[in-house]
Amino acid sequence: MRQAIDTGSFTSLTNASPPRLLIVDDEQHMCDVCSRTLQRAGYDVMATSDPHVAIAALDSGQQFDLLLTDIKMPTMSGLDLAQIAREKDPEIAIIIMTGYASLENLHQSVRRGVADFLSKPFELEQLRLAVDQALRKRAIQQDNFRLRTLEQLLAVSEAFSATLELPELARIALDAMIDRSGFQTGFLLLGDESETLFQAVAQPHDARLTDAGQELAKRSFELRQLLYEHTALYGTRHTRRLHTALAVPLRAQGQVNGVVVLCDERSTTLRPGMQQGLMLLANHAGAALRNAALYQQLDEAYQRRQELDRLKSEFIAIASHELRTPLSIVLGYTMMVRDQVEGGQREYLQRVLEGAQRIKEIVDDMVNLRHIDTGEAQPQLAPLDLVGTIRQAVEHLRSTVELSGRTIVTHLPEMLPPILTDREKVVLVLNHLLSNAIKFTPAQGQITVTISVRPYADIEKMNSASISKPSATLRTLPWVIVDVADTGIGIPAREQMRIFDRFYQVGDSLTRERGGVGLGLALVRELIASLGGAVWVVSREGEGSTFSFALPFRQT
């Protein structure tokens, strides 16, 4: 027998629709009286004088909340019909009607789970009262079942929350579904829309899923519904042969990501409440297993990134060491030969020197970033004359700037007390920002360097500039802001959020006109962050850019 189970159907007591009653009595007059009486009371009634019609209705999958049947009928006993109905739906309420009340009939009725016993003749009000009480008792039993299901869901949720290991979660989910269903054996298979299902766990461990069991799991996965069968050999356990199977799909965010196949030796009655409980567990397990799979993927990606970072650091260390020695030789001998020649050869050697110097700067940037990553570049705080330091940096570059037709101006305060910071890091930041401004400012353009002192509240308003929120003590201090503005090509708005990323470049990679490997601004950001400061940019394409950094005005 194969049965596809509609997991969306609930008994009528859980819906807005009225309870459904099935009335069976070989006397048509009694069927009509009971049917009309209960319909007037608001029930949905199906009545028949033929027990076999009633059995056909039960076999067709129709759900009834209550069976009202005569105990003595020509073709079948009402007690036998009650037993068949109970096998179809263990939660159905049953009331027996009889004109032959006896202690034996009462005992047999109780053994078959009969809710009430009506002796003919009975008052219509007595009938309504008996039906109402039987349905109330059934509703209480269903509520208790749901409460037990919710208690189990809570316990399973706590177990799921305790781990993100996929095998452990699969075992917990399978154990819970075996416990809820009463089946002896279970298998949990995982997969997605593009993959073949694979068995993740079996309980007990020596259980084996046969080809028929695999096929049932596949169909349940594809149809996205519960499937119940007892027509083949679905699994084995020791010497036991499991001929009954229930496949339950696991769902997560609308997608099926696995199937649980529950197997048993005997044919098991599937109660609607049990089906609903299994589906709740399956959905909960599907979500937990999906989260565990995503966590596993994230962890694997993190491990790969860690390995790439390690290889990158090793490469930078080796490259910087291997490049610096020959680069020093190139710079030294080129300088020596340049000073001994005249004319065109001197100009050629000067270009060689400039290229070698540029390589040295790139190597230095790589080394400095590596030192920051490894924690070797801890700030060495000491009093710094920031105004004097900026003047020195500007004067050092002034001749280069003016030879190219650009101008560089400063707006610096006459007096600024020394600031407690790391001089080497501040000089590196200044050199990078000034070199960047010179590189992107065309001939006849201007570069302006400005110092101002403002409260921390002003810093917070400037493009969310803070790299990391400083301590409460630092936020009470004034902050020194250094602006390096240019009248260059500007930066497109879409690029401004990424220009401080490592190896990111505005333009068409290394082949563009101004070159660079995208490390300078990344180094600026890391250096300022190590000093507890902030860095940001304000720019309009075609109008120029202003790069700013701010440091807490700590004094000795």
Side-chain angles (χ1 to χ4, degrees):
M1 174 184 175
R2 296 183 177 181
Q3 182 180 359
I5 302 170
D6 178 11
T7 58
S9 62
F10 291 80
T11 59
S12 58
L13 286 180
T14 61
N15 289 336
S17 58
R20 292 200 71 203
L21 311 182
L22 177 60
I23 300 174
V24 186
D25 196 303
D26 60 318
E27 297 181 15
Q28 187 61 46
H29 172 70
M30 180 59 69
C31 278
D32 293 341
V33 170
C34 292
S35 177
R36 291 175 183 177
T37 300
L38 295 172
Q39 283 176 341
R40 284 198 296 269
Y43 297 110
D44 179 9
V45 179
M46 173 183 170
T48 179
S49 59
D50 186 350
H52 297 289
V53 173
I55 293 173
L58 292 168
D59 285 338
S60 69
Q62 294 186 54
Q63 296 293 325
F64 294 97
D65 300 296
L66 181 140
L67 169 66
L68 176 67
T69 181
D70 189 16
I71 197 170
K72 294 288 185 180
M73 294 181 288
T75 58
M76 178 179 290
S77 165
L79 294 176
D80 291 338
L81 178 60
Q83 183 172 348
I84 293 171
R86 181 69 71 191
E87 289 174 354
K88 300 293 183 184
D89 179 3
E91 294 184 355
I92 192 171
I94 300 173
I95 298 176
I96 293 294
M97 301 181 292
T98 182
Y100 304 94
S102 68
L103 189 60
E104 176 62 23
N105 286 339
L106 180 61
H107 285 166
Q108 291 186 37
S109 300
V110 170
R111 284 197 297 270
R112 286 166 172 78
V114 172
D116 206 346
F117 198 94
L118 284 174
S119 297
K120 295 180 181 178
F122 48 79
E123 298 291 334
L124 296 181
E125 183 60 31
Q126 186 181 359
L127 171 63
R128 286 193 294 267
L129 181 61
V131 169
D132 184 61
Q133 288 177 341
L135 290 174
R136 287 181 181 276
K137 181 179 178 181
R138 178 175 181 271
I140 291 172
Q141 291 173 341
Q142 288 180 325
D143 289 341
N144 289 337
F145 182 84
R146 293 189 187 96
L147 181 60
R148 291 195 300 272
T149 299
L150 291 175
E151 289 174 346
Q152 186 178 29
L153 276 176
L154 179 61
V156 171
S157 295
E158 291 175 351
F160 283 164
S161 301
T163 181
L164 280 171
E165 295 296 326
L166 197 59
E168 179 66 12
L169 285 172
R171 185 194 61 78
I172 293 170
L174 184 58
D175 287 346
M177 295 188 73
I178 291 174
D179 181 61
R180 168 53 59 185
S181 67
F183 280 69
Q184 296 177 344
T185 306
F187 307 89
L188 191 147
L189 299 88
L190 295 175
D192 60 30
E193 303 295 341
S194 60
E195 294 181 357
T196 303
L197 287 170
F198 67 92
Q199 183 173 312
V201 63
Q203 186 64 11
H205 299 301
D206 59 348
R208 296 291 180 268
L209 193 64
T210 65
D211 291 343
Q214 292 276 1
E215 178 62 27
L216 177 64
K218 182 179 178 182
R219 283 191 284 110
S220 175
F221 184 87
E222 292 173 348
L223 296 173
R224 300 168 175 255
Q225 64 181 12
L226 276 80
L227 295 178
Y228 176 62
E229 293 186 5
H230 46 84
T231 59
L233 178 65
Y234 302 100
T236 60
R237 176 186 175 189
H238 296 301
T239 59
R240 298 176 182 176
R241 298 168 67 82
L242 310 174
H243 289 280
T244 300
L246 173 67
V248 187
L250 306 178
R251 290 183 174 88
Q253 294 188 344
Q255 300 295 322
V256 178
N257 62 339
V259 178
V260 168
V261 179
L262 303 169
C263 297
D264 211 309
E265 293 177 280
R266 63 191 185 281
S267 178
T268 303
T269 300
L270 299 180
R271 297 173 296 168
M274 183 183 76
Q275 298 167 23
Q276 297 162 22
L278 286 175
M279 283 306 302
L280 285 173
L281 281 171
N283 292 340
H284 202 49
L289 291 167
R290 178 181 180 275
N291 291 339
L294 291 175
Y295 173 80
Q296 189 176 61
Q297 293 172 13
L298 182 63
D299 184 60
E300 290 172 357
Y302 177 75
Q303 295 298 330
R304 287 195 299 270
R305 179 172 179 178
Q306 290 287 94
E307 178 63 13
L308 289 174
D309 285 344
R310 184 188 66 81
L311 293 173
K312 176 198 67 178
S313 295
E314 286 186 4
F315 169 77
I316 291 174
I318 294 170
S320 60
H321 179 269
E322 295 300 324
L323 287 173
R324 278 187 164 184
T325 300
L327 195 56
S328 299
I329 296 172
V330 170
L331 285 168
Y333 279 109
T334 304
M335 240 182 258
M336 184 186 304
V337 175
R338 181 200 60 181
D339 293 341
Q340 296 175 0
V341 299
E342 298 293 339
Q345 291 183 345
R346 184 181 181 89
E347 182 182 346
Y348 298 151
L349 289 170
Q350 180 60 36
R351 291 185 180 181
V352 172
L353 279 172
E354 290 172 358
Q357 186 63 34
R358 179 59 186 147
I359 295 174
K360 180 179 179 299
E361 291 171 0
I362 292 173
V363 172
D364 289 343
D365 286 347
M366 294 168 64
V367 172
N368 287 326
L369 281 171
R370 180 175 179 273
H371 287 167
I372 290 172
D373 289 341
T374 58
E376 299 174 31
Q378 294 299 318
Q380 303 297 319
L381 301 182
L384 172 67
D385 177 7
L386 187 58
V387 173
T389 300
I390 291 176
R391 284 189 177 132
Q392 288 177 6
V394 169
E395 290 304 317
H396 179 72
L397 294 170
R398 188 178 296 279
S399 59
T400 302
V401 172
E402 292 178 349
L403 280 173
S404 61
R406 306 172 181 91
T407 58
I408 184 167
V409 298
T410 58
H411 298 293
L412 309 176
E414 291 295 329
M415 274 290 285
L416 186 70
I419 179 174
L420 191 64
T421 188
D422 188 312
R423 183 182 187 281
E424 182 180 351
K425 290 180 171 55
V426 171
V427 170
L428 276 173
V429 168
L430 284 170
N431 286 338
H432 274 291
L433 292 183
L434 288 170
S435 298
N436 210 53
I438 295 169
K439 183 192 303 182
F440 290 98
T441 301
Q444 312 308 317
Q446 180 173 290
I447 299 150
T448 306
V449 183
T450 306
I451 290 182
S452 60
V453 179
R454 302 183 192 178
Y456 178 75
D458 289 352
I459 308 298
E460 287 186 305
K461 297 174 184 177
M462 297 178 181
N463 301 322
S464 301
S466 293
I467 294 174
S468 58
K469 197 171 184 67
S471 65
T473 302
L474 291 181
R475 292 200 299 271
T476 62
L477 295 176
W479 282 57
V480 179
I481 300 175
V482 178
D483 299 313
V484 178
D486 63 63
T487 57
I489 60 176
I491 304 169
R494 65 181 181 278
E495 309 273 9
Q496 293 179 23
M497 295 299 294
R498 300 188 58 192
I499 58 173
F500 291 101
D501 294 344
R502 296 185 185 189
F503 300 104
Y504 185 78
Q505 300 166 323
V506 179
D508 300 325
S509 75
L510 295 174
T511 61
R512 72 195 193 288
E513 179 183 352
R514 294 169 180 84
V517 295
L519 285 178
L521 290 177
L523 180 60
V524 166
R525 182 187 65 176
E526 301 291 348
L527 290 171
I528 292 298
S530 70
L531 297 174
V535 62
W536 64 96
V537 63
V538 176
S539 181
R540 285 191 178 182
E541 197 170 0
E543 298 182 12
S545 306
T546 299
F547 283 86
S548 305
F549 68 89
L551 297 171
F553 202 158
R554 291 176 286 199
Q555 299 182 46
T556 55

